[in-house]
Amino acid sequence: MKPLVQMPHARVSTVFTDIDDTLTTEGKLSALAYDALEELQRAGLRVIPVTGRPAGWCDQIARLWPVEGIIGENGALYMWHDHAANKLRTRHLLDEESRAGNAARLATVRGRILDEVPGCAVASDQFCRQYDLAIDFCEDVPPLGRDAVDRIVQIMEEEGMTAKISSIHVNGWFGDYDKLSMARLMMRERYGVDLADPAERGRCVFAGDSPNDAPMFAYFPLSVGVANVLEFSDRLAHAPHFITQQACGAGFAELTRHLLSPA
């Protein structure tokens, strides 16, 4: 990982960003980070959060935040506010019948994890999820050790799920998708941009902080980890190409200053 100051000043059009511990700091969205989002939007950049947080959160964020839209539940859906129609719109990866069919399977895995991994809990935002199971290992419970987190992942994988570790949860789902696959789909469908084109890919920045961001770190040449990504350095399948000096929301603000500074 190179220092952020070494990241070239490209003609960036889109900024993808994780939310928890990338925009937020100790669970809060600071004025500093929110101002950074507004600055990017005022400068004409497309800002799209890409998060493991649930559909219910995405509804609020797409409506109220200074963003073009949002990818949620680790790539299961994207939402945007259609200003012309004054309507929130959602693009689901799976149809309603498929989502309902997965619900019973998710409940079975949830029961097994709670039985076998003492101290963990179902995430408090589970009630507004449509695709995945989120197991809390440090947000509203005392932090669990690495062995416990790894055991949660193992159980999900044994049950045929995809499992990803964020900074606060282990998220598991049935299906072959992730943050990157939905980012590519959203860009193609909403903006006519093919991220398979290296030139288009080079006009995008991604900011993140945890193992579930690895596909995005690997794919985008201008991928940036806020400083706290170092806490997961031995768990990252792919590390970001650049790293900020500051952590969390202050690191995102640092990235914003770099993007908007003269070349």
Side-chain angles (χ1 to χ4, degrees):
M1 291 180 277
K2 298 178 181 178
L4 178 64
V5 293
Q6 295 183 23
M7 189 173 84
H9 286 273
R11 291 182 56 203
V12 171
S13 61
T14 302
V15 177
F16 296 107
T17 179
D18 177 54
I19 294 179
D20 288 293
D21 297 312
T22 298
L23 289 177
T24 64
T25 304
E26 296 183 356
K28 303 293 184 181
L29 181 66
S30 67
L32 180 67
Y34 195 87
D35 284 348
L37 293 173
E38 288 198 317
E39 288 175 24
L40 292 168
Q41 189 179 65
R42 283 196 297 267
L45 277 71
R46 190 184 292 127
V47 182
I48 302 173
V50 188
T51 181
R53 287 295 189 174
W57 282 41
C58 293
D59 182 303
Q60 182 263 357
I61 290 168
R63 291 178 188 274
L64 300 182
W65 287 23
V67 297
E68 286 291 312
I70 179 168
I71 295 169
E73 299 199 23
N74 282 294
L77 54 88
Y78 68 79
M79 291 185 184
W80 75 101
H81 189 259
D82 183 339
H83 296 286
N86 193 29
K87 181 179 178 62
L88 184 78
R89 301 196 184 276
T90 304
R91 168 60 155 99
H92 288 281
L93 194 63
L94 301 179
D95 59 29
E96 187 172 355
E97 183 178 356
S98 299
R99 298 197 302 273
N102 283 338
R105 301 170 70 193
L106 291 173
T108 297
V109 180
R110 177 181 62 201
R112 183 180 169 193
I113 291 171
L114 295 179
D115 285 343
E116 296 185 23
V117 186
C120 74
V122 175
S124 62
D125 63 13
Q126 185 66 44
F127 74 97
C128 54
R129 292 180 177 274
Q130 297 187 350
Y131 284 82
D132 71 2
L133 172 64
I135 300 296
D136 182 359
F137 62 80
C138 72
E139 184 179 37
D140 294 321
V141 300
L144 300 187
R146 293 171 63 102
D147 289 347
V149 175
D150 289 342
R151 179 59 182 150
I152 296 168
V153 171
Q154 182 183 17
I155 292 170
M156 288 181 173
E157 291 177 343
E158 287 174 357
E159 295 288 345
M161 303 176 76
T162 297
K164 298 291 183 181
I165 303 171
S166 77
S167 58
I168 53 175
H169 299 157
V170 180
N171 296 87
W173 60 89
F174 295 104
D176 185 20
Y177 61 84
D178 57 20
K179 289 183 173 184
L180 176 59
S181 62
M182 186 54 84
R184 295 182 64 174
L185 183 66
M186 181 181 186
M187 292 296 285
R188 184 172 67 250
E189 292 182 343
R190 292 278 296 125
Y191 309 109
V193 172
D194 184 0
L195 291 180
D197 181 345
E200 293 290 357
R201 194 157 66 243
R203 298 185 66 191
C204 298
V205 169
F206 173 73
D209 75 292
S210 59
N212 67 342
D213 296 321
M216 302 288 277
F217 286 151
Y219 195 71
F220 293 103
L222 302 179
S223 62
V224 180
V226 289
N228 44 297
V229 75
L230 293 174
E231 297 173 15
F232 295 99
S233 59
D234 62 337
R235 286 182 174 266
L236 291 172
H238 301 281
H241 294 102
F242 302 94
I243 188 168
T244 64
Q245 289 186 320
Q246 299 183 76
C248 302
F252 184 80
E254 179 186 337
L255 169 60
T256 296
R257 290 193 298 272
H258 181 81
L259 291 174
L260 300 183
S261 65

